[in-house]
Amino acid sequence: MSKLKSLRIDREFFAKGVFGAAAFTAVGAVILICVFLFSRGVPAIWEAGIIKTITGTQWAPKSMIFGLLPMIVGSIYVTTGAILIGVPIGILSAVFMAKICPKPLYRILKPLINLLAGIPSVVYGFFGAVVLVPQIQSIFDLSGGSTMLAASILLGTMILPTVITITESSLRAVPREYYEGAVALGASHERAVFRVLLPAAKSGVMAAVALGIGRAIGETMAVIMVAGNQTIVRLPWQVTEGVRTLTANVVIEMGYSSGFHKEMLIATGVVLFAFILIINTVFNYIARKGESPKAVNKTKKGPPTGLVIGAIAGAVVGLIIVPNIGIVPDVTETLVSIDSITVRGGKVIEGSIVDAEIYNGVIRKATVDGKSAGLIESLVINGITIEGTNVTEALSDFPSVKDEAIITGGAVKNVVFHGAFIDAIIGALIGAVLAALLARSMPDKLLKVLTWAAGGITVTVLTFIIGYILIKGVPHLTPALFEPEWNTTNQSMLPAIINTAAMVLCTLLIAVPLGVFSAIFLVEYAKRGNRFVKVIRTMTETLAGIPSIVYGLFGMIFFVQVMGWGFSLLAGAFTLSIMVLPIIMRTTEEALKAVPDPYREGAFGLGAGRLRTVFKIVLPAASPGILSGIILSVGRIVGETAALMFTAGLFAQILGSPMSSTRTLAVHMYVLSGEGQFRDQAYATAVVLLLVVITINTLSSLIAKKVSKA
Amino acid sequence: MKSNLLKKLLATFLSAGLVFTLAACNDEDTTTGGGGGTDKATTAAQNNNTGDETQTDDPTESDFDLERDIKLITRDAESGTRGALVDLADIKKEDAEGKKVDAITDEAEVAGGTAQVLTAVETNELAIGYVSLDADTKSVKVLKIGGVEATTANILAGTYKLQREFNLTRKEKLSDAAEDFWNFIFSAEGQAIIGDKLIEYPGNKDAKPFESNGASGKVTVGGSTSIQPTMDKLVEAYKAIGDAKATVEVQGGGSGPGETQVDDGTFDIGMVSRDVKSEFSHLTIRVMAIDGIAIVVNKSNPTSNIELDDIKKAYMGEMTIWAELN
């Protein structure tokens, strides 16, 4: 008897060790990434000057000027935009799915959301470039639609599945009694959901938002297709201008770079990484403040979280919108009047009615009474005729003339003070107050309408994207695309499909045991509030926020170069394992937490050890949740491009060994589209990618059903 | 209770309405220059009747508004195609140290690759871009340069000015297998395949028929994705030869790795679609083929010809509306 007992204790001890070790891989991975990225990027930043790099407004690699400010603000704007669009819709959709929508609808909606998660970002990018960008161009009457706005909308859509899935599962994890209690006290269904369940699920919702931010700030392939990628520092309200994000900077330039330029691109990755660290720290701080028992009393004194978040969001929206209407006019200083202008065709126009825009000291276009006056050939100022339209030259007597001088009413004026800045402040205030009022007193009926609307938007967007891919791709699905051997004429995707399967398998083999064991350690073994648990949590959240492009850079430096594996399946799979590890850990953790404690108590009461309880009782009960995490991971693996391009290479044949270079389906599609010769095949490949995702999702939901029945 | 609800609903709709009006007003701010932006939708909305004030080249295409902005599409700073265009059209200015540098305006939209340039031009009638002639340009319109059409004959004759060389790099010493594949590329058979897709480099004209040395082993080729499609064709043809035994793996990576990874030994042969940087001049470099660069616009654009100097002015931001190019 005692022997048996000691054996069991040994086993328990051993298991705890294994789980603990698994939990520490996240820590190890973060340390490795830091060491290898920083050792390459930081010296480069040092050499270029830290302040100069971060505040430099110009990026001109050929002249050895490396200012990252345009990309830093670009990333911030685009991510903020994505959050403003994606998070409210995502959370409302999650509420809709978990608590409001009818069961039959849910059965369609859930697989659709999983599908949305599985669509590779390259496909989103295509869709954005061909559908969204032209739409934005025509709605706002621009010369090109690749703008901050386009990127924000596209990213907002892309983070939907992440936000929805995690919010939904954490909503479902809230004990039933909370809801029943609220209803018993007379709250309506909507009120109970929004005022009781949602706040109770706060930690999960926060995690969803944090992951959403991570996805948005780290997205690469889709963003470069719609953002315009200009390296110019924009102002927050210039939403109809193009921006370049940090990620785009790396992917666009990495292929051609060498020497110090390449080091500076790795440095771009480091800056991105630093960003993620800051964001995570902030989120952790907020989460900890909300969770600690002392804070419970405190929060009652302060304003409710919903109010604060609403006010901030409102402020941001106001800040973006109001300067675009222009309430406060620019303060200008009149420099000189224009006597007349002559436009092409010899037509002379009296100066006092001319308006014009100046860009880089050159008059772009003149308008008279709001109509285009045509191309300017010469202008007369103070009786002197100036050929051409160069204003800086024409006004050389006025050294104070800046590039942004404007011409209105026939006078050249310097902009002394931008009304837009005051507009921004006014907008922020109005927005904050309005949103806070709304957040405080949102009527139940409106809440219900909003959740239905959010659900509707999600379904519409999804159907639209899928329909688009099918229409573009299905006609080009030919048998030649499935020949066993790839060559330049058939562009067969069969090898890529097999390679993708190998990549998924290999990655899951590494990541699933690690992720699940880590979660088991965190939930079932570690004591709450343990310091190591905190470290592990922080590291996992850090990992979750690291963009795939940074993983790609790290994989390239560590697995490909330092470990000497070259472009290979193994290098790709290891890189991806670290990438999906936090997803599996997070979802498993949430799923384990959702298993009611009486299950465990029952098992213990019947004499089962902790290990047996975990494997026989808790894990089976949590398996649907764990599977949903695995589905999300498979989706990311199948859809990943940025991280694989730098680690697994582009070899298009069926892989020979784990050490050979491998091209997965998503990478294959990117390559096909990359040089502009095989776009039809690229669409056909996208259809197959979609089918693969549908198959994986169906399979895993079937498994989930079986498991939950047993 | 009920009136309270009504009040709240009203407030909500009012604020929602406000938001939408704001969005709708958006394109009116630019005429005053107050939006803070300089490069905006500008006065396009008011430009409806420009036809009577400027002469249009092609009256049948009159619905194309020549007074509208040119949307420049460019590539990243180190792209081989961009570098070649900048050199050939002299899109350069002097920097602080008096060095001539790339002067393509920052306002130009940067596309991540050839396909993205094509997509941007295909979907935007105001756009202009440049791509390798090797790319599939049937969805867009290729402009003549100074009246010369972009054809193989004109490139070889030198009358079509926008052309560049594709380079291959290697170390002096190669494995026998890699040497065998290298010899194949520059053999008569290899050059014939290159001639199918690109333009044969005149310096490689006297290539001899290929004789394999029969060596087996793995050969890794990597680098420019612009050259990769042709390289894939070469590998296929090489495999079809009976006594050639080397296995060739073609990987991408971009022109940069085409230099660095040859230097560090990861690749046996590197592909570089621009001039090889001076710090890698210790590698063996050989011109593989010639490629043309096509200036492309949207199919609905009436423009059919562009002067080399106008390409420069447009890309430097000195010409900003289509009327100036016509």
Side-chain angles (χ1 to χ4, degrees):
Chain A
M1 183 67 197
S2 71
K3 199 180 171 192
L4 218 141
K5 198 175 179 188
S6 78
L7 201 76
R8 181 198 272 175
I9 288 170
D10 280 353
R11 209 170 53 189
E12 290 286 345
F13 187 74
F14 178 70
K16 190 175 177 180
V18 169
F19 295 149
F24 270 97
T25 49
V27 183
V30 173
I31 293 172
L32 268 185
I33 292 174
C34 285
V35 167
F36 282 94
L37 271 185
F38 282 56
S39 70
R40 289 286 294 272
V42 172
I45 298 183
W46 196 258
E47 201 181 323
I50 295 176
I51 305 288
K52 227 168 119 191
T53 306
I54 291 174
T55 59
T57 55
Q58 204 193 350
W59 175 268
K62 286 217 159 157
S63 311
M64 296 298 277
I65 301 169
F66 299 102
L68 281 175
L69 193 64
M71 280 66 92
I72 293 173
V73 297
S75 278
I76 294 175
Y77 295 159
V78 167
T79 307
T80 312
I83 298 303
L84 283 178
I85 295 164
V87 168
I89 297 181
I91 292 180
L92 286 171
S93 296
V95 170
F96 178 73
M97 287 173 64
K99 300 291 164 191
I100 291 181
C101 93
K103 266 234 167 93
L105 190 58
Y106 181 79
R107 259 183 230 129
I108 308 166
L109 215 55
K110 184 68 185 170
L112 279 181
I113 302 290
N114 286 337
L115 190 59
L116 197 58
I119 298 177
S121 46
V122 184
V123 177
Y124 278 104
F126 259 139
F127 176 79
V130 178
V131 180
L132 187 63
V133 167
Q135 276 305 314
I136 287 178
Q137 180 180 2
S138 76
I139 290 172
F140 292 95
D141 207 1
L142 307 169
S143 64
S146 295
T147 53
M148 217 193 273
L149 185 66
S152 299
I153 294 176
L154 192 65
L155 282 178
T157 314
M158 291 178 70
I159 64 170
L160 276 180
T162 315
V163 176
I164 293 176
T165 312
I166 298 173
T167 309
E168 196 210 333
S169 67
S170 61
L171 270 176
R172 290 191 186 279
V174 177
R176 248 196 102 74
E177 292 79 7
Y178 281 44
Y179 174 79
E180 283 160 3
V183 173
L185 287 171
S188 67
H189 177 67
E190 289 78 27
R191 182 157 288 259
V193 170
F194 278 92
R195 305 279 181 209
V196 178
L197 295 192
L198 206 53
K202 202 166 78 183
S203 79
V205 177
M206 288 297 246
V209 175
L211 275 180
I213 292 179
R215 177 108 209 246
I217 202 170
E219 180 45 53
T220 317
M221 292 317 196
V223 169
I224 56 176
M225 294 191 186
V226 299
N229 305 317
Q230 291 97 327
T231 53
I232 301 175
V233 181
R234 305 290 188 190
L235 294 168
W237 47 85
Q238 292 177 315
V239 286
T240 52
E241 302 285 340
V243 286
R244 179 183 293 193
T245 62
L246 289 163
T247 51
N249 200 37
V250 178
V251 160
I252 290 177
E253 301 200 346
M254 194 49 136
Y256 292 96
S257 67
S258 58
F260 191 67
H261 181 199
K262 186 168 190 170
E263 300 300 306
M264 282 310 289
L265 291 178
I266 295 174
T268 308
V270 169
V271 172
L272 186 61
F273 190 40
F275 251 95
I276 302 287
L277 289 181
I278 295 169
I279 292 170
N280 276 332
T281 317
V282 171
F283 262 87
N284 276 336
Y285 176 74
I286 297 172
R288 214 177 305 143
K289 220 174 136 190
E291 264 171 25
S292 73
K294 272 185 205 161
V296 174
N297 295 327
K298 265 189 200 161
T299 42
K300 273 184 187 158
K301 284 179 202 157
T305 331
L307 200 72
V308 176
I309 293 173
I312 294 173
V316 177
V317 174
L319 170 92
I320 294 167
I321 291 175
V322 174
N324 277 316
I325 328 160
I327 296 177
V328 180
D330 289 344
V331 177
T332 55
E333 163 193 49
T334 303
L335 292 171
V336 66
S337 301
I338 297 173
D339 303 337
S340 67
I341 62 166
T342 310
V343 293
R344 189 141 87 176
K347 194 173 171 192
V348 181
I349 297 164
E350 188 66 23
S352 64
I353 50 171
V354 178
D355 293 335
E357 233 188 272
I358 299 173
Y359 167 67
N360 279 349
V362 177
I363 295 184
R364 304 195 65 187
K365 250 185 282 183
T367 51
V368 175
D369 292 339
K371 285 177 193 160
S372 171
L375 204 65
I376 301 170
E377 301 225 302
S378 65
L379 59 156
V380 183
I381 296 174
N382 287 349
I384 308 158
T385 307
I386 296 131
E387 299 288 326
T389 55
N390 195 320
V391 175
T392 4
E393 187 188 319
L395 300 172
S396 51
D397 292 344
F398 299 90
S400 61
V401 172
K402 289 185 191 131
D403 284 350
E404 56 193 320
I406 51 170
I407 295 178
T408 42
V412 183
K413 294 164 182 175
N414 247 0
V415 181
V416 180
F417 195 84
H418 265 298
F421 284 98
I422 306 177
D423 286 341
I425 297 166
I426 296 175
L429 289 175
I430 297 177
V433 172
L434 273 182
L437 282 177
L438 260 181
R440 186 172 210 122
S441 53
M442 182 85 80
D444 293 355
K445 284 229 172 89
L446 186 64
L447 283 176
K448 191 170 183 177
V449 171
L450 282 180
T451 49
W452 275 90
I457 290 172
T458 306
V459 175
T460 315
V461 167
L462 180 84
T463 326
F464 201 62
I465 294 178
I466 293 173
Y468 173 79
I469 297 167
L470 290 182
I471 289 166
K472 283 281 201 175
V474 172
H476 301 290
L477 276 176
T478 53
L481 282 172
F482 298 97
E483 278 167 21
E485 194 166 334
W486 172 89
N487 62 49
T488 48
T489 24
N490 68 15
Q491 293 294 340
S492 165
M493 64 175 103
L494 194 68
I497 294 174
I498 294 165
N499 291 347
T500 310
M503 185 66 79
V504 168
L505 206 72
C506 203
T507 309
L508 290 184
L509 273 179
I510 304 164
V512 170
L514 278 179
V516 172
F517 286 177
S518 309
I520 291 175
F521 179 77
L522 290 179
V523 177
E524 306 292 332
Y525 284 88
K527 292 194 183 90
R528 301 238 156 115
N530 184 315
R531 191 180 298 160
F532 291 115
V533 174
K534 263 186 204 157
V535 172
I536 292 166
R537 282 250 160 74
T538 320
M539 292 300 167
T540 318
E541 265 140 38
T542 310
L543 273 185
I546 297 178
S548 57
I549 183 72
V550 173
Y551 283 115
L553 287 178
F554 164 71
M556 180 186 79
I557 297 170
F558 186 69
F559 296 118
V560 175
Q561 289 170 9
V562 176
M563 303 288 281
W565 293 349
F567 285 157
S568 58
L569 174 82
L570 216 56
F574 267 92
T575 310
L576 291 186
S577 313
I578 306 177
M579 196 175 90
V580 298
L581 185 65
I583 303 177
I584 295 175
M585 273 176 80
R586 252 290 161 192
T587 42
T588 309
E589 245 189 276
E590 294 292 334
L592 290 177
K593 277 189 201 161
V595 177
D597 271 342
Y599 279 42
R600 298 183 183 88
E601 285 150 13
F604 292 150
L606 289 172
R610 191 165 277 274
L611 191 60
R612 180 182 287 258
T613 310
V614 167
F615 275 96
K616 297 273 166 176
I617 306 294
V618 181
L619 271 187
S623 59
I626 298 173
L627 268 172
S628 86
I630 295 177
I631 293 167
L632 271 178
S633 309
V634 172
R636 273 206 81 174
I637 299 166
V638 170
E640 187 49 54
T641 319
L644 286 177
M645 274 188 356
F646 301 134
T647 54
L650 300 174
F651 188 50
Q653 306 293 2
I654 297 172
L655 75 162
S657 74
M659 297 314 288
S660 77
S661 167
T662 313
R663 186 194 282 190
T664 66
L665 206 52
V667 179
H668 181 62
M669 183 190 157
Y670 185 72
V671 173
L672 279 187
S673 59
E675 287 305 321
Q677 291 171 317
F678 303 103
R679 276 192 291 171
D680 291 342
Q681 286 92 329
Y683 280 120
T685 312
V687 173
V688 176
L689 263 173
L690 215 57
L691 289 178
V692 170
V693 176
I694 293 176
T695 317
I696 295 167
N697 289 354
T698 323
L699 270 180
S700 44
S701 68
L702 279 180
I703 297 167
K705 247 182 220 159
K706 253 195 180 156
V707 171
S708 60
K709 260 181 202 163
Chain B
M1 187 68 197
K2 205 156 201 183
S3 73
N4 197 11
L5 182 85
L6 262 177
K7 245 188 251 166
K8 283 172 186 168
L9 266 178
L10 197 65
T12 320
F13 282 125
L14 275 179
S15 53
L18 186 68
V19 168
F20 281 113
T21 1
L22 304 192
C25 293
N26 186 32
D27 48 352
E28 282 168 23
D29 72 302
T30 40
T31 41
T32 62
T38 44
D39 172 40
K40 280 263 170 146
T42 42
T43 47
Q46 293 91 349
N47 282 349
N48 299 328
N49 52 350
T50 45
D52 45 19
E53 277 152 21
T54 38
Q55 62 276 60
T56 317
D57 280 2
D58 186 355
T60 58
E61 303 265 5
S62 56
D63 53 332
F64 183 88
D65 187 351
L66 287 169
E67 285 302 319
R68 295 208 56 172
D69 290 343
I70 300 169
K71 184 69 184 178
L72 300 168
I73 314 289
T74 187
R75 295 280 308 277
D76 59 285
E78 290 284 348
S79 142
T81 320
R82 173 166 173 168
L85 181 79
V86 166
D87 284 341
L88 296 166
D90 191 38
I91 313 175
K92 291 175 180 173
K93 64 177 179 206
E94 282 186 8
D95 68 0
E97 292 153 23
K99 212 171 64 178
K100 287 198 111 188
V101 292
D102 185 327
I104 290 184
T105 169
D106 284 344
E107 292 287 346
E109 184 175 317
V110 182
T114 305
Q116 286 168 37
V117 175
L118 290 171
T119 309
V121 172
E122 187 187 340
T123 55
N124 183 353
E125 59 172 22
L126 300 173
I128 186 169
Y130 54 90
V131 292
S132 159
L133 256 184
D134 184 30
D136 181 2
T137 50
K138 62 176 184 285
S139 60
V140 292
K141 183 163 154 188
V142 178
L143 296 183
K144 289 182 206 155
I145 314 271
V148 184
E149 231 174 298
T151 59
T152 308
N154 288 339
I155 289 172
L156 282 174
T159 48
Y160 186 83
K161 298 290 179 201
L162 295 183
Q163 48 176 288
R164 59 165 167 174
E165 291 165 356
F166 278 167
N167 292 300
L168 294 185
T169 57
R170 54 172 277 194
K171 282 188 173 168
E172 190 60 49
K173 262 189 103 66
L174 276 184
S175 69
D176 287 345
E179 190 74 56
D180 196 45
F181 184 61
W182 177 274
N183 287 337
F184 174 73
I185 297 172
F186 294 102
S187 68
E189 289 89 340
Q191 289 297 309
I193 287 158
I194 290 171
D196 278 349
K197 297 214 61 167
L198 300 159
I199 296 149
E200 266 181 83
Y201 179 59
N204 296 338
K205 268 272 147 59
D206 51 349
K208 296 183 182 69
F210 177 66
E211 260 177 65
S212 174
N213 64 13
S216 60
K218 191 172 146 185
V219 182
T220 313
V221 183
S224 165
T225 46
S226 309
I227 308 179
Q228 190 169 357
T230 313
M231 191 55 76
D232 288 330
K233 284 266 185 214
L234 283 165
V235 174
E236 268 167 39
Y238 176 77
K239 266 200 278 189
I241 298 171
D243 49 352
K245 295 205 177 59
T247 21
V248 186
E249 199 173 293
V250 184
Q251 304 175 351
S255 289
E259 297 162 339
T260 50
Q261 303 208 20
V262 169
D263 201 27
D264 70 21
T266 321
F267 295 157
D268 296 305
I269 298 170
M271 308 178 279
V272 184
S273 65
R274 50 167 163 74
D275 285 342
V276 176
K277 299 230 158 147
S278 53
E279 64 243 53
F280 294 102
S281 56
H282 58 277
L283 298 174
T284 305
I285 302 155
R286 194 161 169 189
V287 179
M288 175 186 146
I290 297 178
D291 179 38
I293 294 172
I295 303 290
V296 292
V297 296
N298 188 277
K299 280 199 167 155
S300 67
N301 194 317
T303 313
S304 59
N305 179 47
I306 188 168
E307 299 300 321
L308 207 55
D309 194 46
D310 286 349
I311 300 175
K312 171 181 175 164
K313 282 185 180 151
Y315 271 99
M316 286 178 77
E318 288 173 5
M319 281 186 171
T320 58
I321 59 174
W322 278 103
E324 294 172 281
L325 280 182
N326 280 281

